[in-house]
Every structure is written in structure tokens, then in C-alpha cells.
Amino acid sequence: MSAIVIQDMAARRIKNYTFDWGRILNFEGDTGPYLQYAHARLCSLERKAHVKVNPDADVSLLTEEVTCDIINQISLYPDILAASIKSLEPCTVVQYILKLSHSISSAWETIKVRGEADDVAEARLLMYWSARTVIGNALTLLGLEPVEAM
């Protein structure tokens, strides 16, 4: 279901697209399965972390460029929703969560939670938890049920 919904809502409503099962079921690229996989992977990270999500974590420890980019993207979510409502275009939300998911994916190898000092791990886990929450809320808003495992 995610594959079809994301494919259908990824572009402006006025544009046509060619339906292709091979493309929309791909776990790579801008597809529904990719978004569900990103959400599930963030859930897994949270389950396996040696620390718990701490809303009081010291986010000033997140100084890497990629973490600043992710935090900035997360902070844009209310504006993205407002723009989507104003334009009546769900593609605004879809493109936003695709971009956020790509940023998270690029951070996996360098911005680790496991094996880090507790204070750094807590700050990073809070960032990843926030991204998961935004992606999950956006998927729900689009009428999809975010999966926690694949």
C-alpha cells in the first residue's frame, strides 16, 4: 500500500506519471518501501541502543554538519505541513520525508549511537528519535501505518 500511495502523492496532482511496479516496489530511491524501511530502521536503532531516549539530552554535543542538517530539516516540519495545507499538495510532505530519510541514511555510518559515551549517545538517539517521530507522523498523515520492523 505504501508503494502506491507514495508513488501517487510524490508529484503535484496536476502531473501524470507512468505506473511501474518495478520502480515503486524498490527499497532504494524515492519509494514507499524506502520510507517504511527508514522508519523501521530508526525503530530498530531505538530498541537496540544502550541508552534510552532522553528529552533532556545535551543536543549541543551534536556539532557534526550532518547532525545540524538533520536537526534543521526536522525543525521545518510545521512549515512543511502549513505549505502542504495551503497548496493542497501532499507531495510537499512526501518530498520532505524523502529528503529527511535520505539525510538519515547518509548519517548512519558516521553518526553512531552504539559504542559512544552515554551523553553523546543520548543526544544522537534523541535526534534519531525526533526524525523517526516526524517520518511516522507524516506517513500517518498520508494515510499509511508506519511499520516498526521489516
Side-chain angles (χ1 to χ4, degrees):
M1 183 58 105
S2 296
I4 295 169
V5 170
I6 295 302
Q7 171 69 29
D8 200 42
M9 294 186 183
R12 294 197 174 277
R13 293 175 299 132
I14 198 165
K15 295 193 176 195
N16 289 326
Y17 65 89
T18 303
F19 188 86
D20 177 6
W21 279 112
R23 184 174 109 48
I24 66 172
L25 293 176
N26 196 336
F27 279 85
E28 296 177 7
D30 296 345
T31 64
Y34 174 79
L35 290 173
Q36 289 286 13
Y37 176 73
H39 185 270
R41 194 167 181 191
L42 287 165
C43 290
S44 175
L45 174 72
E46 191 175 328
R47 283 190 304 270
K48 294 177 181 177
H50 66 281
V51 294
K52 298 292 180 203
V53 175
N54 177 4
D56 297 320
D58 184 3
V59 293
S60 69
L61 297 172
L62 301 174
T63 58
E64 302 86 359
E65 186 176 337
V66 68
T67 60
C68 294
D69 181 49
I70 290 169
I71 291 167
N72 183 50
Q73 286 181 47
I74 292 168
S75 74
L76 295 175
Y77 186 55
D79 295 333
I80 296 297
L81 290 181
S84 184
I85 291 167
K86 185 176 181 181
S87 67
L88 300 175
E89 290 287 359
C91 67
T92 308
V93 174
V94 172
Q95 294 304 320
Y96 166 77
I97 58 174
L98 285 166
K99 182 177 180 185
L100 178 57
S101 295
H102 288 302
S103 295
I104 292 295
S105 180
S106 69
W108 281 122
E109 296 304 316
T110 55
I111 309 301
K112 296 186 181 294
V113 172
R114 287 170 48 166
E116 296 294 331
D118 286 356
D119 56 347
V120 173
E122 284 182 350
R124 290 177 176 181
L125 184 60
L126 181 60
M127 177 194 70
Y128 285 127
W129 175 85
S130 299
R132 179 191 60 79
T133 301
V134 166
I135 292 167
N137 287 343
L139 288 171
T140 302
L141 181 69
L142 294 168
L144 300 170
E145 184 175 338
V147 298
E148 294 187 8
M150 291 185 96

